[in-house]
Amino acid sequence: MKKIKPARLKKGDTIGIVAPASPLYNKSDLVRGIRTLEEWGFKVIVGEHVNARYEYLAGTDEQRAQDVNLMFKDDRVDAIFVTQGGYGSARILRYIDFDAIEQNPKIFIGYSDITALHLAIQKLTGLVSFHGPGMAGFNPEELTEYRKNQLFKALLSSESIGEIELADKKKWINIINPGEARGEMVGGNLTLICSTLGTPYEIETEGKILFFEELDTEPWVMDHMLSHLLNAGKLQKAAGIVVGECKDCEPYKHNPGFPVTFSLEDILEEYIKPLQIPAIYGLPLGHTKDLATIPLGVQGFLDATIGKLIIEECGTRS
């Protein structure tokens, strides 16, 4: 499959802001995020419908898709940042102009619900996009030094990101299966990955390093989604598997003195361990303040024996 890399981001470039999914609860989050980008030396253009609201969506499907399409076509815009995830990205895929994206490759970054767009863009255009923070996290309360440094390494540096290190050295990488694997990075939010199955945007995992993360999802629901991926042949075809931090993925009701249900670790081991594919769990790739930015579609190396993921290829071009 062809691979297209966007131009590297540099100070003075213009960043376009779009809202492909849910609206920001506080509109001031956008104002604060724009101020941060401007303090970093970037110019900002805001999509026409970014502050629109259509129930739990940031405008109608057509409005949200229009903003994405126009940002890719706008010669003034060098990179496209989303406001946040939430819900709704999959609804706009049928309105996205993928030819325009392929002809106007630009940095596109977001995570969570934005996974639907990443997978569709990667499959239909070959453009390297970036699994990383949205505008809701670009303020002093949310923007940790780790998040900022990882973002800059991914978007502004001419070097590959290298090892994705733990932000907190006290945290733990759980080795599900030891071994080594090399392949293109693919993945994102588990719910959205599963939602692509049976569609033209279906995730391709064969020979690739699959990573996924989740939020506020009970282990039995994780069981359901991993079963779906296994039945679809996606887990067993991966060269390696990386599970990010899955925040609050615990039973909603349990007796701490006598747990009577699987933990998330139990579920991961049940599905992944028998595959004998190199796999680890615990990197900061999910809904955490210390979120690492990952270029999708570039070469990665997983050394699961020592719990390390290394991004070997730069996601941008000069």
Side-chain angles (χ1 to χ4, degrees):
M1 181 180 177
K2 64 184 175 183
K3 182 187 301 182
I4 304 172
K5 293 185 179 181
R8 190 165 303 123
L9 192 63
K10 59 185 184 300
K11 299 294 179 67
D13 280 350
T14 298
I15 294 172
I17 309 299
V18 296
S22 294
L24 290 168
Y25 183 73
N26 293 311
K27 292 181 180 179
S28 62
D29 285 342
L30 177 60
V31 177
R32 297 178 74 186
I34 291 172
R35 179 174 296 178
T36 298
L37 293 180
E38 290 175 340
E39 288 173 351
W40 289 346
F42 300 112
K43 298 188 283 288
V44 177
I45 294 177
V46 178
E48 179 182 353
H49 303 102
V50 162
N51 283 316
R53 296 200 179 204
Y54 178 65
E55 295 294 338
Y56 41 77
L57 303 167
T60 65
D61 295 344
E62 292 88 346
Q63 288 174 332
R64 288 177 285 121
Q66 182 185 63
D67 280 0
V68 173
N69 292 335
L70 289 176
M71 286 298 179
F72 272 102
K73 294 176 182 178
D74 192 333
D75 291 336
R76 299 172 298 168
V77 175
D78 301 294
I80 302 168
F81 287 18
V82 306
T83 52
Q84 65 172 23
Y87 172 74
S89 295
R91 291 179 52 139
I92 72 172
L93 294 180
R94 62 188 181 276
Y95 300 112
I96 294 296
D97 188 342
F98 291 101
D99 288 336
I101 293 175
E102 184 175 353
Q103 293 161 15
N104 302 277
K106 299 175 183 181
I107 286 171
F108 178 77
I109 184 170
Y111 78 113
S112 192
D113 190 74
I114 309 302
T115 296
L117 277 162
H118 285 312
L119 293 175
I121 288 171
Q122 189 174 6
K123 184 160 188 176
L124 299 185
T125 75
L127 176 65
V128 172
S129 60
F130 295 81
H131 183 274
M135 293 296 292
F138 286 113
N139 63 73
E141 289 181 275
E142 299 291 330
L143 191 66
T144 65
E145 280 301 305
Y146 180 89
R147 178 181 283 211
K148 177 183 174 182
N149 290 339
Q150 293 294 313
L151 179 75
F152 278 31
K153 284 172 71 174
L155 304 187
L156 279 75
S157 174
S158 60
E159 304 293 329
S160 61
I161 293 173
E163 182 184 346
I164 304 299
E165 297 181 340
L166 287 173
D168 183 349
K169 301 301 182 184
K170 296 188 293 293
K171 289 191 175 182
W172 174 255
I173 296 296
N174 187 37
I175 296 170
I176 301 173
N177 283 323
E180 297 180 354
R182 181 173 274 109
E184 288 189 355
M185 301 299 303
V186 65
N189 179 264
L190 183 58
T191 297
L192 275 298
I193 290 172
C194 288
S195 77
T196 69
L197 300 179
T199 75
Y201 321 107
E202 181 170 304
I203 188 170
E204 299 293 343
T205 63
E206 187 168 1
K208 299 183 180 183
I209 296 178
L210 168 67
F211 79 91
F212 62 83
E213 58 84 27
E214 199 43 89
L215 169 72
D216 292 336
T217 303
E218 290 195 76
W220 73 269
V221 181
M222 298 287 286
D223 184 319
H224 160 72
M225 291 189 287
L226 290 173
S227 177
H228 194 180
L229 283 182
L230 189 72
N231 290 338
K234 300 301 180 179
L235 283 182
Q236 55 269 54
K237 288 183 180 179
I241 298 174
V242 177
V243 185
E245 290 187 24
C246 294
K247 186 177 180 183
D248 296 330
C249 290
E250 301 171 352
Y252 292 164
K253 296 179 181 179
H254 68 287
N255 181 347
F258 186 65
V260 291
T261 186
F262 285 129
S263 69
L264 176 56
E265 283 192 10
D266 292 331
I267 297 297
L268 294 175
E269 294 224 346
E270 179 158 346
Y271 278 96
I272 299 174
K273 203 170 190 64
L275 302 178
Q276 299 182 342
I277 294 169
I280 62 174
Y281 164 45
L283 284 180
L285 305 178
H287 289 72
T288 171
K289 283 189 175 183
D290 293 314
L291 171 63
T293 298
I294 300 291
L296 302 169
V298 304
Q299 191 84 346
F301 174 68
L302 172 63
D303 187 339
T305 303
I306 56 175
K308 291 185 182 297
L309 174 65
I310 299 169
I311 307 300
E312 298 182 315
E313 182 182 356
C314 185
T316 61
R317 57 178 170 81
S318 57

